[in-house]
Amino acid sequence: AATAPLLAVRGLEGWYGESHVLHGIDLDVGAGEVVTLLGRNGAGKTTTLRAIIGILGKRTGSITYEGAETIRMASRAIARLGIGYVPEERGIFASLSVHENLMLPPRVKPGGMSVAEIHALFPNLKERAKSQGTKLSGGEQQMLAIGRILRTGAKLILLDEPTEGLAPVIVQQIGRTILKLKAEGYTIVLVEQNFRFAQTLADRHYVVEQGRVVDMIENSRLDANIDKLHAYLGV
Ligand code: ATP
């Protein structure tokens, strides 16, 4: 029998106040997979991640993680299951050092990375340990935001546009890191504008349009579906 997915989202609807923005998101993520959410600006990709981690005010439908229903759980309880969220804006505290930023989120599960392991993954962070958060480049801030979540013990990592605004060489480094994490057994859901970058990493892609998942494309079938994808993305 097929094993149940690590994360299963069914009929997810979500609101900001009165504004109804998710209209039925359905997706599955298997343990150890890298899955992307693709779609135009405003399609609802970020809101989907926010709903999964429980920081969207109102959400209905079903989100299960390791079989446990989380739709009515508070964000802290969801984090304690081992789900980590790296927001697009990264959330680095300017007044704290790199090391202090790294130590900030509490551990939620045993087996989180040690500082030494995070430094091995991102050597820049070791060199910059005493620097203030704001002195970092965009790429270093992204590494810090990811490293900080890996320390918590989260095993499902939700990454919102980690490569946005970064130089190509840093984008490649982030890509290699994501593949390394996959090889270590992490599961990753990635919101990405750049589907050519996503193609180098992902197992599958979900296309989000107007608050719904409208398609799922296996990575091996991405090139065969390129016209369809261009139409979805309006490129
Ligand atoms: P982007 O790449 O632009 O972030 P996205 O697919 O991630 O696109 P979302 O950020 O999830 O899209 O936005 C989905 C819808 O929700 C959009 O119509 C957006 O304007 C709206 N929205 C996003 N954040 C808020 C908010 N804080 N309050 C009200 N509406 C919001």
Side-chain angles (χ1 to χ4, degrees):
T3 50
L6 184 70
L7 176 76
V9 177
R10 292 288 177 275
L12 173 66
E13 304 201 21
W15 289 258
Y16 290 104
E18 297 288 294
S19 176
H20 190 177
V21 302
L22 299 182
H23 299 275
I25 297 282
D26 296 289
L27 55 89
D28 286 329
V29 183
E33 277 195 306
V34 177
V35 165
T36 71
L37 307 183
L38 302 175
R40 298 184 192 208
N41 288 338
K45 306 179 296 295
T46 297
T47 308
T48 299
L49 297 189
R50 294 173 57 102
I52 293 169
I53 197 65
I55 57 174
L56 191 65
K58 184 177 172 198
R59 58 196 192 281
T60 65
S62 171
I63 304 174
T64 59
Y65 181 73
E66 292 183 322
E69 180 60 66
T70 69
I71 197 78
R72 276 171 295 274
M73 286 171 68
S75 58
R76 286 174 63 115
I78 294 172
R80 279 198 294 269
L81 298 175
I83 306 180
Y85 173 52
V86 183
E88 188 175 357
E89 61 278 11
R90 297 168 188 144
I92 303 304
F93 287 87
S95 57
L96 301 183
S97 71
V98 166
H99 185 72
E100 288 165 338
N101 267 285
L102 205 55
M103 301 306 283
L104 206 59
R107 288 187 186 259
V108 294
K109 281 265 185 193
M113 282 193 190
S114 66
V115 171
E117 286 170 321
I118 295 166
H119 285 169
L121 197 61
F122 299 119
N124 300 46
L125 296 183
K126 186 175 184 181
E127 291 164 31
R128 303 289 237 139
K130 295 203 174 64
S131 305
Q132 242 183 304
T134 38
K135 300 274 160 60
L136 300 182
S137 68
E140 288 167 337
Q141 288 190 23
Q142 185 62 49
M143 295 170 199
L144 178 53
I146 296 173
R148 188 163 75 172
I149 289 302
L150 296 173
R151 197 185 150 274
T152 66
K155 287 288 153 36
L156 169 64
I157 314 289
L158 312 175
L159 290 176
D160 198 349
E161 297 197 39
T163 65
E164 156 128 79
L166 304 184
V169 54
I170 308 295
V171 171
Q172 283 176 20
Q173 191 183 349
I174 300 283
R176 283 196 301 273
T177 303
I178 290 171
L179 288 175
K180 219 180 274 181
L181 294 174
K182 177 181 165 72
E184 290 184 22
Y186 286 87
T187 305
I188 293 170
V189 178
L190 179 71
V191 168
E192 191 49 65
Q193 294 283 348
N194 180 350
F195 69 85
R196 286 301 180 197
F197 171 72
Q199 188 178 23
T200 66
L201 305 168
D203 297 296
R204 295 180 301 116
H205 309 273
Y206 284 101
V207 181
V208 181
E209 214 170 70
Q210 297 183 355
R212 290 181 181 83
V213 167
V214 295
D215 210 345
M216 190 276 283
I217 305 174
E218 296 284 346
N219 198 48
S220 59
R221 302 275 306 146
L222 196 70
D223 282 323
N225 283 281
I226 202 72
D227 292 341
K228 201 163 77 166
L229 189 64
H230 282 156
Y232 284 135
L233 301 179
V235 295

